[in-house]
């Protein structure tokens, strides 16, 4: 009983911490003059433009679109995105949420700590992380440090967890992929989730931690 109580308490603690982080971050950021905010964001997004992962995407032509097939209980749809986009950002910018229900508001905005953008990813050719070359169609091909830590922490981390489970905020898409979203606040249930529309509660703050997507990636925030 004590173990069960602890497993129920930990997700609530994680949730509370992220609510506090969101409140403090938004309050601090909105106190900065608008011109300085925009300058900081442009500088931050350009800072990682020459990283190896971004450069590797250019060899196939960064302008060539790739396709994300998104499966939920509502429907399965395929959307074209730009080669090299972070999956979470790409979905939000096209009106689709990688978060379920209220987690569209209460999440870490791409920090990789909340775990609510967890999705199962397989490549267009059906490859999985069990293959010797890792998962094809995303970079990194295997879970990074943030993913390994968060996806092995409650409410994730069950013994029957899919090896295809990744955090949408931590993967760049560089090939056709199939993405499946499970139900529940954390996306950790067995059943498929219903599809949710994206809610950009904080406008450009939703993508402030994304410094890997191409700068000219389509966004509803751009005029």
């Amino acid at each position: 009983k004590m173990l069960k109580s602890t497993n129920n308490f930990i997700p609530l603690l994680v949730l509370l911490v992220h609510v506090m982080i969101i409140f403090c971050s938004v309050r601090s950021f909105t106190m900065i003059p608008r011109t300085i905010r925009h300058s900081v964001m442009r500088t931050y997004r350009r800072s990682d433009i020459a990283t190896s992962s971004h450069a590797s995407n250019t060899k196939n032509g960064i302008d060539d679109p790739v396709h994300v097939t998104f499966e939920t209980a509502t429907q399965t749809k395929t959307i074209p995105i730009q080669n090299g986009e972070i999956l979470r950002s790409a979905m939000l910018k096209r009106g689709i949420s990688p978060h379920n229900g209220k987690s569209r508001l209460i999440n870490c905005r791409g920090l990789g700590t909340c775990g609510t953008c967890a999705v199962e990813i397989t490549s267009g050719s059906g490859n999985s992380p069990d293959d010797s070359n890792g998962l094809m169609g995303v970079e990194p091909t295997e879970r990074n440090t943030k993913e390994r830590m968060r996806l092995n922490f409650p409410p994730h981390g069950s013994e029957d967890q899919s090896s295809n489970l990744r955090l949408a905020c931590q993967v760049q898409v560089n090939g056709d992929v199939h993405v499946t979203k499970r139900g529940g606040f954390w996306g950790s249930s067995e059943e498929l989730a219903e599809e949710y529309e994206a809610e950009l509660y904080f406008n450009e703050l939703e993508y402030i931690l994304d410094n890997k997507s191409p700068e000219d990636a389509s966004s509803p925030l751009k005029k």
Side-chain angles (χ1 to χ4, degrees):
K1 289 183 178 180
M2 183 176 295
L3 179 60
K4 184 176 181 180
S5 177
T6 301
N7 288 337
N8 290 333
F9 173 74
I10 291 177
L12 292 177
L13 180 61
V14 171
L15 188 62
L16 178 61
V17 169
H18 282 91
V19 170
M20 294 174 64
I21 291 174
I22 292 169
F23 176 79
C24 294
S25 299
V26 172
R27 184 176 177 82
S28 299
F29 197 78
T30 53
M31 293 176 66
I32 303 174
R34 185 180 183 86
T35 54
I36 298 178
R37 294 206 310 264
H38 288 180
S39 177
V40 170
M41 290 180 63
R42 285 194 298 269
T43 301
Y44 183 79
R45 284 180 58 80
R46 282 197 293 265
S47 66
D48 201 37
I49 201 69
T51 59
S52 58
S53 60
H54 180 81
S56 67
N57 290 331
T58 63
K59 67 183 180 180
N60 293 324
I62 197 68
D63 293 329
D64 296 335
V66 294
H67 298 86
V68 174
T69 299
F70 187 55
E71 180 183 359
T72 62
T74 306
Q75 62 179 333
T76 298
K77 62 168 59 173
T78 299
I79 57 172
I81 69 170
Q82 196 168 61
N83 192 328
E85 284 192 75
I86 290 290
L87 179 58
R88 176 183 179 273
S89 300
M91 293 180 65
L92 289 175
K93 292 174 183 179
R94 289 159 182 81
I96 306 171
S97 178
H99 306 281
N100 293 335
K102 291 182 173 59
S103 69
R104 289 178 293 175
L105 172 61
I106 306 173
N107 64 78
C108 66
R109 266 66 200 175
L111 188 61
T113 56
C114 72
T116 61
C117 69
V119 292
E120 294 175 14
I121 304 177
T122 55
S123 70
S125 61
N127 292 334
S128 74
D130 293 329
D131 296 325
S132 59
N133 294 325
L135 176 61
M136 306 300 292
V138 299
E139 180 71 29
T141 58
E142 298 179 350
R143 293 176 181 173
N144 63 19
T145 301
K146 289 183 178 180
E147 290 179 285
R148 289 195 298 271
M149 291 179 62
R150 186 61 193 87
L151 294 177
N152 283 292
F153 193 76
H156 296 296
S158 61
E159 294 182 356
D160 58 349
Q161 181 186 90
S162 171
S163 60
N164 296 343
L165 197 68
R166 302 291 299 270
L167 296 181
C169 66
Q170 297 298 306
V171 297
Q172 284 179 277
V173 183
N174 56 18
D176 294 347
V177 292
H178 187 105
V179 177
T180 303
K181 184 65 181 180
R182 298 292 175 181
F185 184 91
W186 307 93
S188 57
S189 300
E190 293 184 3
E191 70 276 4
L192 291 176
E194 62 179 280
E195 183 179 319
Y196 288 92
E197 292 184 359
E199 292 283 359
L200 305 183
Y201 292 101
F202 304 114
N203 298 318
E204 67 267 25
L205 288 179
E206 297 288 348
Y207 320 114
I208 191 171
L209 297 178
D210 178 2
N211 63 342
K212 293 186 177 181
S213 292
E215 281 194 289
D216 57 344
S218 61
S219 169
L221 300 175
K222 293 183 179 181
K223 304 298 184 182

PDB file of all heavy atoms in Angstrom, residues 71-99:
ATOM      1  N   GLU A  71      -1.437   8.981 -35.198  1.00  0.00           N
ATOM      2  CA  GLU A  71      -2.544   8.065 -34.916  1.00  0.00           C
ATOM      3  C   GLU A  71      -3.129   8.297 -33.527  1.00  0.00           C
ATOM      4  O   GLU A  71      -2.415   8.283 -32.530  1.00  0.00           O
ATOM      5  CB  GLU A  71      -2.070   6.622 -35.027  1.00  0.00           C
ATOM      6  CG  GLU A  71      -3.167   5.595 -34.755  1.00  0.00           C
ATOM      7  CD  GLU A  71      -2.671   4.166 -34.800  1.00  0.00           C
ATOM      8  OE1 GLU A  71      -1.459   3.954 -35.054  1.00  0.00           O
ATOM      9  OE2 GLU A  71      -3.485   3.247 -34.570  1.00  0.00           O
ATOM     10  N   THR A  72      -4.434   8.519 -33.472  1.00  0.00           N
ATOM     11  CA  THR A  72      -5.173   8.623 -32.209  1.00  0.00           C
ATOM     12  C   THR A  72      -6.448   7.802 -32.340  1.00  0.00           C
ATOM     13  O   THR A  72      -6.726   7.227 -33.394  1.00  0.00           O
ATOM     14  CB  THR A  72      -5.541  10.092 -31.903  1.00  0.00           C
ATOM     15  OG1 THR A  72      -6.409  10.577 -32.948  1.00  0.00           O
ATOM     16  CG2 THR A  72      -4.307  10.974 -31.817  1.00  0.00           C
ATOM     17  N   ALA A  73      -7.247   7.778 -31.273  1.00  0.00           N
ATOM     18  CA  ALA A  73      -8.523   7.065 -31.335  1.00  0.00           C
ATOM     19  C   ALA A  73      -9.492   7.793 -32.249  1.00  0.00           C
ATOM     20  O   ALA A  73     -10.431   7.194 -32.772  1.00  0.00           O
ATOM     21  CB  ALA A  73      -9.111   6.948 -29.929  1.00  0.00           C
ATOM     22  N   THR A  74      -9.275   9.085 -32.436  1.00  0.00           N
ATOM     23  CA  THR A  74     -10.163   9.891 -33.275  1.00  0.00           C
ATOM     24  C   THR A  74      -9.964   9.607 -34.750  1.00  0.00           C
ATOM     25  O   THR A  74     -10.916   9.380 -35.493  1.00  0.00           O
ATOM     26  CB  THR A  74      -9.935  11.400 -33.016  1.00  0.00           C
ATOM     27  OG1 THR A  74     -10.056  11.662 -31.619  1.00  0.00           O
ATOM     28  CG2 THR A  74     -10.937  12.248 -33.790  1.00  0.00           C
ATOM     29  N   GLN A  75      -8.712   9.605 -35.172  1.00  0.00           N
ATOM     30  CA  GLN A  75      -8.392   9.379 -36.575  1.00  0.00           C
ATOM     31  C   GLN A  75      -6.887   9.209 -36.738  1.00  0.00           C
ATOM     32  O   GLN A  75      -6.116   9.401 -35.805  1.00  0.00           O
ATOM     33  CB  GLN A  75      -8.862  10.567 -37.436  1.00  0.00           C
ATOM     34  CG  GLN A  75      -8.183  11.881 -37.077  1.00  0.00           C
ATOM     35  CD  GLN A  75      -8.635  13.033 -37.954  1.00  0.00           C
ATOM     36  OE1 GLN A  75      -9.039  12.851 -39.104  1.00  0.00           O
ATOM     37  NE2 GLN A  75      -8.602  14.242 -37.413  1.00  0.00           N
ATOM     38  N   THR A  76      -6.494   8.858 -37.951  1.00  0.00           N
ATOM     39  CA  THR A  76      -5.089   8.824 -38.326  1.00  0.00           C
ATOM     40  C   THR A  76      -4.898   9.799 -39.472  1.00  0.00           C
ATOM     41  O   THR A  76      -5.578   9.701 -40.488  1.00  0.00           O
ATOM     42  CB  THR A  76      -4.658   7.410 -38.768  1.00  0.00           C
ATOM     43  OG1 THR A  76      -4.818   6.498 -37.667  1.00  0.00           O
ATOM     44  CG2 THR A  76      -3.200   7.400 -39.205  1.00  0.00           C
ATOM     45  N   LYS A  77      -3.999  10.775 -39.279  1.00  0.00           N
ATOM     46  CA  LYS A  77      -3.793  11.776 -40.311  1.00  0.00           C
ATOM     47  C   LYS A  77      -2.301  11.932 -40.586  1.00  0.00           C
ATOM     48  O   LYS A  77      -1.470  11.675 -39.722  1.00  0.00           O
ATOM     49  CB  LYS A  77      -4.380  13.125 -39.908  1.00  0.00           C
ATOM     50  CG  LYS A  77      -3.757  13.752 -38.665  1.00  0.00           C
ATOM     51  CD  LYS A  77      -4.168  15.208 -38.472  1.00  0.00           C
ATOM     52  CE  LYS A  77      -5.663  15.388 -38.347  1.00  0.00           C
ATOM     53  NZ  LYS A  77      -6.036  16.783 -37.998  1.00  0.00           N
ATOM     54  N   THR A  78      -1.992  12.336 -41.800  1.00  0.00           N
ATOM     55  CA  THR A  78      -0.602  12.559 -42.188  1.00  0.00           C
ATOM     56  C   THR A  78      -0.387  14.025 -42.498  1.00  0.00           C
ATOM     57  O   THR A  78      -1.159  14.625 -43.252  1.00  0.00           O
ATOM     58  CB  THR A  78      -0.235  11.703 -43.419  1.00  0.00           C
ATOM     59  OG1 THR A  78      -0.395  10.313 -43.096  1.00  0.00           O
ATOM     60  CG2 THR A  78       1.206  11.951 -43.838  1.00  0.00           C
ATOM     61  N   ILE A  79       0.647  14.619 -41.877  1.00  0.00           N
ATOM     62  CA  ILE A  79       0.944  16.030 -42.112  1.00  0.00           C
ATOM     63  C   ILE A  79       2.376  16.170 -42.614  1.00  0.00           C
ATOM     64  O   ILE A  79       3.283  15.492 -42.136  1.00  0.00           O
ATOM     65  CB  ILE A  79       0.765  16.869 -40.826  1.00  0.00           C
ATOM     66  CG1 ILE A  79       1.636  16.326 -39.686  1.00  0.00           C
ATOM     67  CG2 ILE A  79      -0.687  16.912 -40.397  1.00  0.00           C
ATOM     68  CD1 ILE A  79       1.666  17.198 -38.453  1.00  0.00           C
ATOM     69  N   PRO A  80       2.597  17.040 -43.605  1.00  0.00           N
ATOM     70  CA  PRO A  80       3.962  17.314 -44.053  1.00  0.00           C
ATOM     71  C   PRO A  80       4.602  18.359 -43.141  1.00  0.00           C
ATOM     72  O   PRO A  80       3.961  19.329 -42.752  1.00  0.00           O
ATOM     73  CB  PRO A  80       3.752  17.864 -45.467  1.00  0.00           C
ATOM     74  CG  PRO A  80       2.400  18.514 -45.415  1.00  0.00           C
ATOM     75  CD  PRO A  80       1.590  17.712 -44.430  1.00  0.00           C
ATOM     76  N   ILE A  81       5.855  18.135 -42.775  1.00  0.00           N
ATOM     77  CA  ILE A  81       6.580  19.111 -41.972  1.00  0.00           C
ATOM     78  C   ILE A  81       7.949  19.313 -42.605  1.00  0.00           C
ATOM     79  O   ILE A  81       8.333  18.599 -43.534  1.00  0.00           O
ATOM     80  CB  ILE A  81       6.735  18.665 -40.502  1.00  0.00           C
ATOM     81  CG1 ILE A  81       7.690  17.470 -40.394  1.00  0.00           C
ATOM     82  CG2 ILE A  81       5.381  18.310 -39.903  1.00  0.00           C
ATOM     83  CD1 ILE A  81       8.075  17.134 -38.965  1.00  0.00           C
ATOM     84  N   GLN A  82       8.695  20.272 -42.080  1.00  0.00           N
ATOM     85  CA  GLN A  82      10.006  20.539 -42.637  1.00  0.00           C
ATOM     86  C   GLN A  82      11.046  19.609 -42.034  1.00  0.00           C
ATOM     87  O   GLN A  82      11.002  19.291 -40.838  1.00  0.00           O
ATOM     88  CB  GLN A  82      10.403  21.990 -42.389  1.00  0.00           C
ATOM     89  CG  GLN A  82      11.563  22.451 -43.254  1.00  0.00           C
ATOM     90  CD  GLN A  82      11.741  23.948 -43.196  1.00  0.00           C
ATOM     91  OE1 GLN A  82      11.991  24.498 -42.147  1.00  0.00           O
ATOM     92  NE2 GLN A  82      11.603  24.611 -44.311  1.00  0.00           N
ATOM     93  N   ASN A  83      11.960  19.164 -42.873  1.00  0.00           N
ATOM     94  CA  ASN A  83      13.050  18.302 -42.441  1.00  0.00           C
ATOM     95  C   ASN A  83      13.841  19.013 -41.343  1.00  0.00           C
ATOM     96  O   ASN A  83      14.305  20.129 -41.517  1.00  0.00           O
ATOM     97  CB  ASN A  83      13.954  18.012 -43.650  1.00  0.00           C
ATOM     98  CG  ASN A  83      14.950  16.905 -43.382  1.00  0.00           C
ATOM     99  OD1 ASN A  83      15.413  16.729 -42.266  1.00  0.00           O
ATOM    100  ND2 ASN A  83      15.289  16.164 -44.426  1.00  0.00           N
ATOM    101  N   GLY A  84      13.984  18.358 -40.187  1.00  0.00           N
ATOM    102  CA  GLY A  84      14.765  18.929 -39.104  1.00  0.00           C
ATOM    103  C   GLY A  84      13.960  19.565 -37.994  1.00  0.00           C
ATOM    104  O   GLY A  84      14.526  20.006 -36.987  1.00  0.00           O
ATOM    105  N   GLU A  85      12.645  19.626 -38.129  1.00  0.00           N
ATOM    106  CA  GLU A  85      11.828  20.230 -37.080  1.00  0.00           C
ATOM    107  C   GLU A  85      11.733  19.322 -35.860  1.00  0.00           C
ATOM    108  O   GLU A  85      11.681  18.107 -35.975  1.00  0.00           O
ATOM    109  CB  GLU A  85      10.408  20.513 -37.584  1.00  0.00           C
ATOM    110  CG  GLU A  85      10.279  21.723 -38.493  1.00  0.00           C
ATOM    111  CD  GLU A  85       8.826  22.116 -38.721  1.00  0.00           C
ATOM    112  OE1 GLU A  85       8.215  22.690 -37.799  1.00  0.00           O
ATOM    113  OE2 GLU A  85       8.321  21.833 -39.818  1.00  0.00           O
ATOM    114  N   ILE A  86      11.696  19.948 -34.684  1.00  0.00           N
ATOM    115  CA  ILE A  86      11.390  19.216 -33.457  1.00  0.00           C
ATOM    116  C   ILE A  86       9.929  18.773 -33.546  1.00  0.00           C
ATOM    117  O   ILE A  86       9.056  19.566 -33.897  1.00  0.00           O
ATOM    118  CB  ILE A  86      11.606  20.105 -32.217  1.00  0.00           C
ATOM    119  CG1 ILE A  86      13.101  20.376 -32.008  1.00  0.00           C
ATOM    120  CG2 ILE A  86      11.001  19.470 -30.972  1.00  0.00           C
ATOM    121  CD1 ILE A  86      13.912  19.171 -31.569  1.00  0.00           C
ATOM    122  N   LEU A  87       9.653  17.508 -33.228  1.00  0.00           N
ATOM    123  CA  LEU A  87       8.314  16.952 -33.420  1.00  0.00           C
ATOM    124  C   LEU A  87       7.245  17.742 -32.664  1.00  0.00           C
ATOM    125  O   LEU A  87       6.185  18.048 -33.211  1.00  0.00           O
ATOM    126  CB  LEU A  87       8.294  15.486 -32.980  1.00  0.00           C
ATOM    127  CG  LEU A  87       6.941  14.768 -33.087  1.00  0.00           C
ATOM    128  CD1 LEU A  87       6.415  14.795 -34.515  1.00  0.00           C
ATOM    129  CD2 LEU A  87       7.071  13.324 -32.585  1.00  0.00           C
ATOM    130  N   ARG A  88       7.498  18.076 -31.399  1.00  0.00           N
ATOM    131  CA  ARG A  88       6.508  18.820 -30.612  1.00  0.00           C
ATOM    132  C   ARG A  88       6.170  20.162 -31.264  1.00  0.00           C
ATOM    133  O   ARG A  88       5.007  20.513 -31.414  1.00  0.00           O
ATOM    134  CB  ARG A  88       7.027  19.042 -29.184  1.00  0.00           C
ATOM    135  CG  ARG A  88       6.103  19.906 -28.323  1.00  0.00           C
ATOM    136  CD  ARG A  88       6.696  20.144 -26.939  1.00  0.00           C
ATOM    137  NE  ARG A  88       5.814  20.995 -26.137  1.00  0.00           N
ATOM    138  CZ  ARG A  88       5.850  22.318 -26.156  1.00  0.00           C
ATOM    139  NH1 ARG A  88       6.723  22.953 -26.935  1.00  0.00           N
ATOM    140  NH2 ARG A  88       5.018  23.018 -25.392  1.00  0.00           N
ATOM    141  N   SER A  89       7.196  20.909 -31.645  1.00  0.00           N
ATOM    142  CA  SER A  89       6.982  22.219 -32.259  1.00  0.00           C
ATOM    143  C   SER A  89       6.227  22.087 -33.575  1.00  0.00           C
ATOM    144  O   SER A  89       5.303  22.862 -33.856  1.00  0.00           O
ATOM    145  CB  SER A  89       8.324  22.920 -32.502  1.00  0.00           C
ATOM    146  OG  SER A  89       9.031  23.111 -31.309  1.00  0.00           O
ATOM    147  N   ALA A  90       6.625  21.110 -34.390  1.00  0.00           N
ATOM    148  CA  ALA A  90       5.994  20.917 -35.689  1.00  0.00           C
ATOM    149  C   ALA A  90       4.500  20.633 -35.557  1.00  0.00           C
ATOM    150  O   ALA A  90       3.678  21.164 -36.315  1.00  0.00           O
ATOM    151  CB  ALA A  90       6.676  19.775 -36.437  1.00  0.00           C
ATOM    152  N   MET A  91       4.135  19.816 -34.578  1.00  0.00           N
ATOM    153  CA  MET A  91       2.723  19.476 -34.387  1.00  0.00           C
ATOM    154  C   MET A  91       1.926  20.682 -33.890  1.00  0.00           C
ATOM    155  O   MET A  91       0.851  20.987 -34.406  1.00  0.00           O
ATOM    156  CB  MET A  91       2.605  18.303 -33.413  1.00  0.00           C
ATOM    157  CG  MET A  91       3.158  16.994 -33.954  1.00  0.00           C
ATOM    158  SD  MET A  91       3.020  15.618 -32.787  1.00  0.00           S
ATOM    159  CE  MET A  91       1.238  15.454 -32.671  1.00  0.00           C
ATOM    160  N   LEU A  92       2.472  21.386 -32.891  1.00  0.00           N
ATOM    161  CA  LEU A  92       1.765  22.545 -32.355  1.00  0.00           C
ATOM    162  C   LEU A  92       1.547  23.613 -33.416  1.00  0.00           C
ATOM    163  O   LEU A  92       0.480  24.228 -33.494  1.00  0.00           O
ATOM    164  CB  LEU A  92       2.552  23.141 -31.183  1.00  0.00           C
ATOM    165  CG  LEU A  92       2.581  22.324 -29.884  1.00  0.00           C
ATOM    166  CD1 LEU A  92       3.500  22.988 -28.872  1.00  0.00           C
ATOM    167  CD2 LEU A  92       1.179  22.163 -29.307  1.00  0.00           C
ATOM    168  N   LYS A  93       2.556  23.845 -34.247  1.00  0.00           N
ATOM    169  CA  LYS A  93       2.460  24.869 -35.281  1.00  0.00           C
ATOM    170  C   LYS A  93       1.434  24.518 -36.355  1.00  0.00           C
ATOM    171  O   LYS A  93       0.983  25.398 -37.085  1.00  0.00           O
ATOM    172  CB  LYS A  93       3.831  25.092 -35.928  1.00  0.00           C
ATOM    173  CG  LYS A  93       4.830  25.732 -34.983  1.00  0.00           C
ATOM    174  CD  LYS A  93       6.217  25.797 -35.614  1.00  0.00           C
ATOM    175  CE  LYS A  93       7.234  26.384 -34.639  1.00  0.00           C
ATOM    176  NZ  LYS A  93       8.586  26.435 -35.224  1.00  0.00           N
ATOM    177  N   ARG A  94       1.069  23.252 -36.421  1.00  0.00           N
ATOM    178  CA  ARG A  94       0.088  22.823 -37.415  1.00  0.00           C
ATOM    179  C   ARG A  94      -1.253  22.468 -36.780  1.00  0.00           C
ATOM    180  O   ARG A  94      -2.079  21.787 -37.373  1.00  0.00           O
ATOM    181  CB  ARG A  94       0.662  21.655 -38.218  1.00  0.00           C
ATOM    182  CG  ARG A  94       1.789  22.126 -39.151  1.00  0.00           C
ATOM    183  CD  ARG A  94       2.710  21.016 -39.590  1.00  0.00           C
ATOM    184  NE  ARG A  94       3.782  21.552 -40.430  1.00  0.00           N
ATOM    185  CZ  ARG A  94       4.879  22.136 -39.973  1.00  0.00           C
ATOM    186  NH1 ARG A  94       5.065  22.248 -38.670  1.00  0.00           N
ATOM    187  NH2 ARG A  94       5.797  22.607 -40.807  1.00  0.00           N
ATOM    188  N   GLY A  95      -1.452  22.949 -35.564  1.00  0.00           N
ATOM    189  CA  GLY A  95      -2.755  22.834 -34.925  1.00  0.00           C
ATOM    190  C   GLY A  95      -3.053  21.520 -34.239  1.00  0.00           C
ATOM    191  O   GLY A  95      -4.191  21.266 -33.848  1.00  0.00           O
ATOM    192  N   ILE A  96      -2.034  20.669 -34.074  1.00  0.00           N
ATOM    193  CA  ILE A  96      -2.230  19.361 -33.438  1.00  0.00           C
ATOM    194  C   ILE A  96      -1.418  19.309 -32.157  1.00  0.00           C
ATOM    195  O   ILE A  96      -0.246  19.689 -32.140  1.00  0.00           O
ATOM    196  CB  ILE A  96      -1.795  18.214 -34.366  1.00  0.00           C
ATOM    197  CG1 ILE A  96      -2.494  18.324 -35.722  1.00  0.00           C
ATOM    198  CG2 ILE A  96      -2.070  16.864 -33.733  1.00  0.00           C
ATOM    199  CD1 ILE A  96      -1.963  17.366 -36.764  1.00  0.00           C
ATOM    200  N   SER A  97      -2.015  18.829 -31.079  1.00  0.00           N
ATOM    201  CA  SER A  97      -1.308  18.795 -29.804  1.00  0.00           C
ATOM    202  C   SER A  97      -0.706  17.427 -29.518  1.00  0.00           C
ATOM    203  O   SER A  97      -1.390  16.404 -29.644  1.00  0.00           O
ATOM    204  CB  SER A  97      -2.249  19.177 -28.653  1.00  0.00           C
ATOM    205  OG  SER A  97      -1.561  19.091 -27.420  1.00  0.00           O
ATOM    206  N   PRO A  98       0.577  17.389 -29.099  1.00  0.00           N
ATOM    207  CA  PRO A  98       1.170  16.139 -28.641  1.00  0.00           C
ATOM    208  C   PRO A  98       0.835  15.877 -27.172  1.00  0.00           C
ATOM    209  O   PRO A  98       1.244  14.870 -26.603  1.00  0.00           O
ATOM    210  CB  PRO A  98       2.674  16.383 -28.823  1.00  0.00           C
ATOM    211  CG  PRO A  98       2.820  17.856 -28.590  1.00  0.00           C
ATOM    212  CD  PRO A  98       1.555  18.486 -29.142  1.00  0.00           C
ATOM    213  N   HIS A  99       0.106  16.823 -26.562  1.00  0.00           N
ATOM    214  CA  HIS A  99      -0.317  16.714 -25.165  1.00  0.00           C
ATOM    215  C   HIS A  99      -1.816  16.395 -25.106  1.00  0.00           C
ATOM    216  O   HIS A  99      -2.581  16.840 -25.969  1.00  0.00           O
ATOM    217  CB  HIS A  99      -0.070  18.022 -24.416  1.00  0.00           C
ATOM    218  CG  HIS A  99       1.338  18.528 -24.519  1.00  0.00           C
ATOM    219  ND1 HIS A  99       2.367  18.026 -23.762  1.00  0.00           N
ATOM    220  CD2 HIS A  99       1.888  19.499 -25.299  1.00  0.00           C
ATOM    221  CE1 HIS A  99       3.486  18.663 -24.063  1.00  0.00           C
ATOM    222  NE2 HIS A  99       3.232  19.565 -24.990  1.00  0.00           N
TER     223      HIS A  99
END
